Amino acid sequence: MNARITKATLLDESNEHHGKQVDLRIENGIITEIGTDLTPKNNEEELQFENLSVSPGWFDSSVSVGEPGFEERETIINALKVAGKSGFTAIAVNANSAPVIDNNASVAFLKNKAAGNAVNLHPIGALTKNAAGVDLAELYDMQQAGAVAFGDYQHAISNPNLIKIALQYAQGFDGLVLSFPQEDDLIIKGVANEGETAISLGLKGIPSLAEHIQVARDLYILEYTGGKLHIPTISTAQSVALIKEAKAKGLDVTCSVAIVNLFYTEAMLNEFDTRYKVLPPLRTETDRQALIAGIKDGTIDMVTSDHNPLDIELKKLEFDHAKFGTIAQEATWGALLTLVSEKRAVKLLTAAQERFTQVKSKIEIGQPANLSLFTTKGTTVFVKEHILSKSKNTAFLGAKLKGKVYGIISNNQFIAS
């Protein structure tokens, strides 16, 4: 594509024009000029939007795609379309399909299916075979096929020796190990945060202790083994404190938080609406404020949509029986912008790129254009018409959001929202 982006505030700390309004010229998908009032060329499209900002492309570190096996929930092609229209140029796809992504052939399937699209798909291979938590999967083979990390989505590894061996083994090829922060023996059949709200509603509780114990355990193991650990979707104040302490020790650990846990609390459960049944569960306002403090001070490295499309038969049930999960990509930018500044939001949405792929996305002359286009201005109420996913299980219906995504430029393509 040939295009000239005009009057855009550039947000990239590595660029000399950071925070300034510039024009960008893109020729055959490559950034060729950055400056003010660039002279138009005949063969280029002008991209101009109101109060436009441009940043390196956003990377969503936790996305569930139904295919293969659950195409009724979401297909790979539509998932990539949703991501692009939500401002993301890359997504890391969880290993929760059927069959589970636990070998090089299944990783290659995802990569091949997504080839040629504007949005880059990066598979997360299962850490254990069939995500059963018993035996390690073929980690090295999956990495060679294109897997960027290894974790069992929303399945805790109960055996500490498995995490120990995984961290030791993955060091041989600089692999990133994910460990879901939950001790299953402490939650039994819990469906909501353990506390006054769950008690008053008669719901079985998921104690925050179940998260703290698992996080503390994994950090102790990491300190012993070395290696690279990522803890996805933390939800409690104590988890923030534990990870902050681990980073102060110099441990190679990162963590993420799901946008729904930043935006809502357990108070949303009073109507037994299963759209708010997520894992980890919505916690207290004290936890939410600690998470917000964590994304502001850098303890929490990245924000994810934790996008999990589920068909109506899995959500339109009694609260105890409904499946955990919400779709959130379409609302992530607008929700995050209500909590932090534009620059901090960009940092939180781009940090996963380097952690998961070892390549830092930059806006730089001579480099392929990998850009997210957006504005911080204006507010909207999220309604059904904003849902782009095949499934409709979103917790954000009725939420007041800030700003707007205009689209992305990636892989020599422009996708407009």
Side-chain angles (χ1 to χ4, degrees), residues 60-68 91-102 110 121-127 131 148-154 178 180 230 232-233 256 304-309 356:
D60 196 342
S61 62
S62 179
V63 178
S64 295
V65 174
E67 191 176 3
I91 59 173
V93 172
N94 296 310
N96 61 337
S97 55
V100 170
I101 308 302
D102 64 357
L110 288 182
L121 185 153
H122 299 285
I124 297 174
L127 186 67
V148 294
F150 310 99
D152 295 351
Y153 180 66
Q154 291 191 345
L178 277 60
F180 185 64
H230 177 71
T233 60
S256 67
T304 176
S305 69
D306 201 26
H307 190 74
N308 191 2
F356 280 73

Side-chain angles (χ1 to χ4, degrees), residues 73-74 78-79 81-83 85-86 275 307-310 326-332 380-399 401 417:
R73 302 178 189 176
E74 187 63 285
N78 195 61
K81 176 183 173 183
V82 173
K85 289 180 174 289
S86 301
R275 291 182 299 120
H307 190 74
N308 191 2
L310 298 168
T326 181
I327 59 172
Q329 260 189 348
E330 301 95 321
T332 296
T380 57
V381 174
F382 194 86
V383 295
K384 288 183 178 179
E385 287 72 24
H386 294 136
I387 299 174
L388 305 171
S389 303
K390 193 173 178 181
S391 295
K392 310 302 177 186
N393 56 306
T394 181
F396 286 91
L397 279 181
L401 309 179
S417 295

Side-chain angles (χ1 to χ4, degrees), residues 316-375:
K316 282 282 186 177
L317 299 168
E318 293 179 0
F319 202 91
D320 279 349
H321 301 296
K323 192 172 177 65
F324 293 102
T326 181
I327 59 172
Q329 260 189 348
E330 301 95 321
T332 296
W333 172 250
L336 183 56
L337 207 59
T338 66
L339 304 172
V340 295
S341 69
E342 178 184 37
K343 290 181 180 179
R344 173 57 64 176
V346 166
K347 194 174 185 69
L348 291 163
L349 294 178
T350 56
Q353 172 78 32
E354 185 173 10
R355 182 60 167 173
F356 280 73
T357 71
Q358 291 80 55
V359 177
K360 186 173 183 178
S361 183
K362 299 179 181 179
I363 300 177
E364 193 173 277
I365 292 174
Q367 293 297 312
N370 185 288
L371 308 171
S372 296
L373 287 67
F374 51 90
T375 182

Side-chain angles (χ1 to χ4, degrees), residues 20 25 92 101 149 152 162 223 239 245 259 266-267 300 306 331 381:
K20 299 176 183 177
R25 175 165 283 123
I101 308 302
D152 295 351
L162 264 181
E223 188 172 8
S239 292
E245 180 183 354
I259 187 63
E266 61 185 355
I300 298 174
D306 201 26
V381 174

